[in-house]
Amino acid sequence: MNSVEFRKELFAEERADNLSEIGRPTVRQDILGHVTGRSAYYDDHLFDGLLHMRCVRSPHHHARIRSVDFSAAERMEGVRRIVGPADVPKNLNTLLSLINFGKEDEPLLSERKTSYRGEPVLAVIADTERQARGGGPRRARGSVANGDRRRRPPAAAVRVDWEPLPHVLDVEEALAPGAPTVNETYPGNAFEYHGRYDHQKLRFGDVDKGFSEADRIVEGRYRMSPIEQAPIETCGAIAAPETGDRYVCYTSTQALFFSLSTTAKLLDTASSRLHFVGGTVGGGFGGKVDSIVEPMAVLGAMLTGRPVKFMWDREEEMQVGAPRGAELWIIKDGVAADGRILARSFTGYFDSGAYTRLSSYAVVKSTGHLPGPYTIPNVASNVFCVFTNRTPATAMRGFGITGVDYAIECQMDRVAEAVGMNPVELRILNAYRDGDMKAHRRVAKNTALIECCQVAAQKAGWQLSPDALRQSSKEGGGGRRSAIPETATDQVGRIGERRRSQLPAEPLAGPGPRGRVPAGTAGPATEAAPPQRPDMAMDWEREKSPAAALPEPARPSISPPPRIPASGISAASASAASPQAAEAPYAPKAPFSRGVSKPGVSRFLSGTRRR
Amino acid sequence: MAKRKGRGFACINYPIGMNLGGDPSQALVHSTPDGKFMVSLSSIDLGQGMKSVTRQIAAEALGVPVADVYVDTADSDTGPHCMGSFASRGTHRVGNAVIRAATEARAQLLEAAAEELEVDAADLDTDGQGNIHVKGAPSRSITVADTAVAAQFRQGRTVSGRGIFLIPPSEANPETGEMTPVSCFAHGAIVVDLEVDEETGEVEVLELNSAYEVGRALNPKLVEQQLVGGAWMGISHALYETTEPYYPSREHGPVDFNSYLMPGPGDLAPHHIAVIERPAEDAPFGGKGPGEMCANPVIPAVANAIYNAVGVRCDELPITPERILRGIRANGGAQPGGVRR
């Protein structure tokens, strides 16, 4: 049985616990729908005359398209329309163009070549899903034609003349001279940063000096395979023409305006013609930001004048839908005999797959995260966004951070072993504290790593030394630890350079001039924009300081019963002292009567299946 | 042949919000004629509970009961812009926008009440129960409902507010990586106890003990749900899941949940959580957003516990029985690292 406790005594002086609504276990406004199965998924929106869209996909890792013949598929029963690259008004995009980051590199439907197995080249729109269905990426053998028309799905009846090309699947091989070019927008197989380098650099202090002063050098190499976000509801969208020359789109998106803007751009239409409605259930975990299904569905509705559904099946979700990409991290630490880490260098690779999507952003995010939650005087990293002939990667819970945290924390275990220390005490010794300078040249504040280490160890019954237990995030930081050191720099890895000659990937290696950035060099921190008018600024006096608070608040902050009456729901109180074990388990008063399916009711209705 | 027990530790911090800023979110708040409040957003809540958290934030900032607030979202025709639900930005960015919108609406509410009570708006306060009263004189009061009626039917005044929260865009320096990545960080630490079968390479997670620092638990039940579920996801990521089991080879990719492995109910271990709250200065009531970060420390802690159990360094994810067995064989047998306590 799980348990949860709220350690209110920690940082109590920085927090008032006498708020009215904040801190209460209020029951969700949508919980009844969720627990009775009535909350609507996008697929619960029903339309008369709904058409179904399926993609024809490449069976090759990398192939040129010599020709496409869909005349047989077009004549098949139920097929309304074959959608090709020429039907997409602006058939090239990169997701982060919305924030001016990166070059357009990915078509919605590919015309000349495909760069990963499962890349779409055509879409079939038909009266029923069965008629449209071409199977998943591996069953879509494009070069097969003819056969029994009634049994063969139209997607398989499309004749594509493929010319397979050499492919590359490994990130280090992709950066080597002579590797096949995956993505012609980035001929070096790496995203280009600042128009200057094929990677993002981080330089703080001088790692080589740190390594030379160290008693031990500890090295590790860590790799994470791609994983699937695995939402219960697969990615998809239903689009339908509306009166007033508009299109409504019910979508699984995690980012409503991101998907709307991307659709408007690809279809070269005014965003005011699009009405997007998102869901409230189904899960996302990062895999529903890519905005592929929405433009496809809206395009289908525009071309046919009918409602069109484009929905991935589970196989597409797992093999064609973007996963969290693979990462490779190589870490080198210089450690003093007493456990202090004096220098840490990283070489990181994000396997972006065939297109950029969001991996370019993850590189910068991970760079800002290095060297982890520790104060280390010398840090350097080179992090690459690498293109390979696999399904494009995208965001997932912990994007840009999860992989490198795995690497850093396995590395910390190695360091603890190398110097013979308790691994928890090693973390506390090196932990960042309030006032410390971080490697991205901003001062740490509001830190709490040490307290987390102490409490977790205590809960597990893992003994720490009295000295480790005395430490605090609020003490011992700043001062000398807030200084920005003189920093060693280099100019290795300019765009295209790695294509011409083999270059080491690790920081401060390879030929070329070296530079020094003077100690103390840092620009101003970016601050949140202030409230645009004074009456939008909250009077924080209302959140009374602990000193001014009544000794005994009328309502404890954690354990009052929720104020929302929720019939049929046991109003579980979240008490700090009594975990769930103390409560009677939930039992319905009567059996559920409102099922999901409605026998005898046609699903070919307009409206919403669930209410 | 035996089952070997192991214990591993890991700790992390986690940046809240989109790296390098440039990610605004907006909110609109308005009162219905009888003093209930509607919060209009376009943010997506796919089950994580954002509607609930923003509802509580709006009620707190307005000074009205949460039952009198409803959050309407996910419709591009009615909700103002939001970048989306990712990067642990929902609570922080949307929550701040809701505070600003609710604060502006509250100012108008108090002005309307001041006109009805014939006092200065600065002398008024809410009791959080649906009433507005003169500070220090609770008997001189008017209900929020009566105030809304008066504002809209007698005074000709809206009771509504607009809010936007933006960390402006900044850039990373190409030479040094200098940047302002985000404005606050959540924290976590975990001890994992597990057992490795040295004959089959199978891992059974026995117990998790963790501490997560979340700024402020805006809704303790939602925090608990995130932390319990997130730790499960961490175990799954560490030991089971991948779309490419022989990466970088693309062969043997799973296509459904028969071949894409995850732990089942029987594989879940008891998880004892301590929640620590150190409010962040620019976060809504200090709350940082626990959603993404809670899975992260579990993964390396599992790897470190397996090393402690059988002496195999798990430098590749997922840590399958095959990889553990190959490691044990390469070492010439299991090499337990000793009891940690």
Side-chain angles (χ1 to χ4, degrees):
Chain A
M1 185 55 86
N2 300 327
S3 70
V4 178
E5 57 170 341
F6 290 79
R7 297 291 296 265
K8 294 284 180 185
E9 78 280 11
L10 293 165
F11 303 110
E13 70 285 359
E14 298 184 13
R15 197 183 64 239
D17 287 334
N18 55 357
L19 299 167
S20 302
E21 302 294 349
I22 296 298
R24 310 186 87 205
T26 306
V27 172
R28 297 166 169 231
Q29 71 178 34
D30 54 8
I31 198 69
L32 260 179
H34 287 5
V35 300
T36 57
R38 306 306 300 176
S39 296
Y41 296 82
Y42 71 82
D43 191 29
D44 286 317
H45 297 280
L46 308 177
F47 292 89
D48 277 324
L50 180 70
L51 302 179
H52 300 259
M53 181 185 245
R54 300 281 307 172
C55 276
V56 178
R57 300 181 179 279
S58 170
H60 301 287
H61 294 306
H62 198 193
R64 184 163 289 120
I65 301 167
R66 288 208 192 95
S67 66
V68 178
D69 176 6
F70 52 79
S71 52
E74 213 169 20
R75 290 193 302 272
M76 290 174 70
E77 187 183 351
V79 172
R80 296 280 173 159
R81 173 87 193 210
I82 306 286
V83 184
D87 294 314
V88 186
K90 190 179 175 309
N91 194 20
L92 201 63
N93 184 40
T94 190
L95 272 181
L96 289 175
S97 65
L98 295 177
I99 57 169
N100 292 318
F101 192 55
K103 299 187 256 188
E104 317 276 37
D105 70 338
E106 182 172 7
L108 194 59
L109 294 168
S110 299
E111 189 157 25
R112 292 180 298 112
K113 77 160 191 167
T114 57
S115 299
Y116 66 95
R117 194 170 68 192
E119 183 164 351
V121 294
L122 289 176
V124 177
I125 300 176
D127 287 346
T128 69
E129 186 181 343
R130 186 171 192 168
Q131 287 166 336
R133 212 172 165 80
R138 288 179 303 155
R139 274 176 274 155
R141 303 287 179 204
S143 53
V144 186
N146 302 323
D148 183 340
R149 274 197 193 164
R150 267 170 303 183
R151 281 174 50 201
R152 183 174 300 284
V158 172
R159 181 196 285 270
V160 182
D161 186 4
W162 299 103
E163 177 192 342
L165 300 170
H167 64 268
V168 61
L169 292 169
D170 179 88
V171 286
E172 289 170 299
E173 287 171 17
L175 291 181
T181 289
V182 173
N183 178 333
E184 281 161 3
T185 307
Y186 296 100
N189 288 342
F191 186 83
E192 297 162 2
Y193 285 91
H194 316 287
R196 200 177 296 177
Y197 296 116
D198 61 6
H199 60 283
Q200 174 67 51
K201 292 178 188 289
L202 177 74
R203 300 287 185 269
F204 184 77
D206 185 341
V207 285
D208 289 327
K209 180 165 146 283
F211 291 141
S212 68
E213 292 167 356
D215 296 307
R216 301 293 302 271
I217 299 291
V218 180
E219 295 178 88
R221 182 184 166 94
Y222 308 92
R223 195 162 73 177
M224 177 177 81
S225 301
I227 87 168
E228 162 62 20
Q229 296 85 0
I232 194 94
E233 169 200 59
T234 59
C235 288
I238 301 174
E242 283 196 327
T243 53
D245 194 30
R246 296 181 93 212
Y247 293 87
V248 66
C249 179
Y250 292 94
T251 157
S252 63
T253 186
Q254 268 176 268
L256 197 69
F257 275 96
F258 217 95
S259 294
L260 189 152
S261 305
T262 301
T263 303
K265 179 183 166 187
L266 281 162
L267 304 186
D268 196 21
T269 190
S271 59
S272 55
R273 291 180 72 204
L274 302 176
H275 175 198
F276 272 41
V277 182
T280 186
V281 69
F285 305 103
K288 292 178 173 175
V289 184
D290 282 4
S291 305
I292 305 288
V293 291
E294 297 86 0
M296 289 294 289
V298 176
L299 177 62
M302 284 179 166
L303 293 174
T304 62
R306 296 269 296 270
V308 171
K309 174 159 82 180
F310 183 59
M311 176 170 75
W312 288 349
D313 62 19
R314 190 57 69 179
E315 179 172 349
E316 287 174 301
E317 183 73 35
M318 286 189 173
Q319 291 295 325
V320 179
R324 179 209 292 283
E327 294 173 33
L328 171 64
W329 289 93
I330 296 157
I331 306 181
K332 179 179 176 185
D333 283 347
V335 189
D338 65 1
R340 284 175 301 120
I341 300 170
L342 303 178
R344 173 170 276 183
S345 107
F346 293 85
T347 310
Y349 303 85
F350 282 77
D351 187 338
S352 184
Y355 299 105
T356 308
R357 300 276 173 99
L358 303 167
S359 295
S360 53
Y361 159 85
V363 164
V364 181
K365 184 160 184 174
S366 71
T367 298
H369 186 62
L370 303 180
Y374 305 108
T375 295
I376 298 175
N378 304 286
V379 182
S381 72
N382 285 355
V383 188
F384 297 81
C385 169
V386 185
F387 298 105
T388 62
N389 290 110
R390 62 164 36 77
T391 303
T394 194
M396 185 172 163
R397 188 177 204 157
F399 192 37
I401 307 295
T402 299
V404 73
D405 273 352
Y406 157 69
I408 289 170
E409 288 303 296
C410 289
Q411 176 79 4
M412 292 302 281
D413 221 50
R414 275 198 163 88
V415 170
E417 185 180 55
V419 296
M421 266 184 88
N422 174 320
V424 188
E425 291 174 9
L426 176 84
R427 264 78 164 201
I428 292 174
L429 175 70
N430 287 286
Y432 78 148
R433 302 168 187 231
D434 289 1
D436 285 0
M437 183 54 62
K438 301 179 74 185
H440 58 80
R441 293 166 195 259
R442 298 290 178 265
V443 174
K445 56 187 177 182
N446 190 240
T447 60
L449 189 78
I450 291 172
E451 287 72 15
C452 286
C453 291
Q454 291 164 337
V455 171
Q458 178 216 340
K459 285 178 80 73
W462 193 339
Q463 294 296 319
L464 299 181
S465 72
D467 184 56
L469 288 171
R470 258 198 312 275
Q471 301 304 312
S472 160
S473 291
K474 295 192 287 185
E475 292 160 17
R480 214 165 40 83
R481 293 162 61 112
S482 68
I484 294 175
E486 187 189 39
T487 295
T489 60
D490 65 286
Q491 293 168 23
V492 183
R494 287 182 171 275
I495 292 166
E497 202 179 7
R498 215 172 293 274
R499 203 72 181 153
R500 294 189 292 274
S501 63
Q502 190 86 37
L503 282 181
E506 67 265 27
L508 296 152
R514 294 293 189 266
R516 311 291 289 185
V517 175
T521 303
T526 307
E527 304 282 348
Q532 87 197 65
R533 282 160 43 110
D535 64 0
M536 297 177 188
M538 186 155 176
D539 175 14
W540 291 103
E541 286 301 303
R542 284 178 51 218
E543 188 196 349
K544 296 163 191 72
S545 68
L550 297 171
E552 180 55 42
R555 288 179 304 201
S557 58
I558 293 302
S559 56
R563 235 186 264 163
I564 315 302
S567 57
I569 305 291
S570 80
S573 69
S575 165
S578 61
Q580 285 171 327
E583 296 158 13
Y586 165 76
K589 288 185 185 123
F592 289 121
S593 57
R594 295 183 294 175
V596 173
S597 61
K598 288 192 175 175
V601 177
S602 165
R603 67 183 303 241
F604 296 102
L605 293 171
S606 293
T608 304
R609 192 182 328 193
R610 302 180 205 209
R611 284 281 183 200
Chain B
M1 295 297 175
K3 288 189 173 183
R4 306 284 188 180
K5 281 195 162 58
R7 166 170 274 195
F9 179 82
C11 58
I12 55 105
N13 67 341
Y14 196 83
I16 301 302
M18 238 173 110
N19 182 261
L20 303 181
D23 65 330
S25 277
Q26 296 184 41
L28 297 174
V29 171
H30 76 266
S31 162
T32 63
D34 45 1
K36 310 295 183 192
F37 287 85
M38 185 66 77
V39 180
S40 300
L41 307 171
S42 67
S43 314
I44 298 292
D45 182 348
L46 284 178
Q48 65 271 49
M50 195 200 299
K51 277 185 289 191
S52 225
V53 166
T54 49
R55 183 180 182 217
Q56 283 174 269
I57 289 171
E60 186 73 51
L62 284 161
V64 304
V66 76
D68 290 352
V69 178
Y70 190 84
V71 176
D72 175 55
T73 192
D75 188 321
S76 67
D77 275 6
T78 57
H81 176 258
C82 169
M83 281 297 274
S85 302
F86 44 75
S88 291
R89 64 183 299 287
T91 294
H92 190 275
R93 305 292 199 256
V94 184
N96 272 319
V98 167
I99 286 179
R100 290 177 180 185
T103 301
E104 193 186 30
R106 175 186 165 88
Q108 292 170 13
L109 180 73
L110 295 186
E111 280 170 27
E115 196 168 319
E116 293 302 300
L117 294 171
E118 297 181 335
V119 294
D120 192 302
D123 295 332
L124 292 176
D125 200 359
T126 46
D127 68 352
Q129 310 285 336
N131 303 299
I132 301 165
H133 62 268
V134 177
K135 287 176 192 164
S139 59
R140 284 194 72 190
S141 73
I142 181 171
T143 64
V144 171
D146 287 345
T147 306
V149 170
Q152 294 172 61
F153 292 90
R154 279 204 297 277
Q155 301 175 9
R157 188 194 295 271
T158 62
V159 179
S160 60
R162 310 149 296 160
I164 182 167
F165 186 78
L166 169 70
I167 306 266
S170 61
E171 245 196 291
N173 183 292
E175 306 296 338
T176 64
E178 175 182 348
M179 63 174 101
T180 308
V182 290
S183 56
C184 66
F185 292 82
H187 301 86
I190 195 160
V191 177
V192 171
D193 286 291
L194 51 71
E195 204 169 61
V196 182
D197 187 323
E198 62 171 75
E199 193 170 353
T200 64
E202 279 179 296
V203 175
E204 184 183 357
V205 178
L206 300 174
E207 187 173 304
L208 311 172
N209 282 281
S210 68
Y212 289 103
E213 190 276 313
V214 301
R216 185 193 285 276
L218 301 175
N219 180 324
K221 274 291 176 192
L222 288 178
V223 168
E224 177 183 345
Q225 149 203 309
Q226 289 275 16
L227 298 181
V228 171
W232 177 90
M233 203 158 171
I235 292 173
S236 190
H237 194 170
L239 297 173
Y240 297 84
E241 292 185 52
T242 179
T243 52
E244 298 184 41
Y246 295 94
Y247 176 87
S249 162
R250 292 221 58 198
E251 300 314 306
H252 303 286
V255 296
D256 57 30
F257 288 118
N258 293 316
S259 46
Y260 188 85
L261 300 184
M262 293 186 187
D267 302 313
L268 294 184
H271 186 182
H272 304 296
I273 300 170
V275 178
I276 300 172
E277 300 166 89
R278 187 177 194 195
E281 59 186 20
D282 76 339
F285 300 100
K288 292 173 182 173
E292 288 188 283
M293 61 112 170
C294 46
N296 287 357
V298 182
I299 302 164
V302 166
N304 294 338
I306 292 169
Y307 179 74
N308 179 237
V310 293
V312 173
R313 283 287 176 203
C314 306
D315 295 338
E316 204 148 333
L317 291 177
I319 309 163
T320 55
E322 177 182 342
R323 285 182 174 142
I324 293 173
L325 271 188
R326 287 185 191 281
I328 290 174
R329 288 192 188 155
N331 290 345
Q335 296 171 353
V339 178
R340 290 169 155 176
R341 60 175 173 247

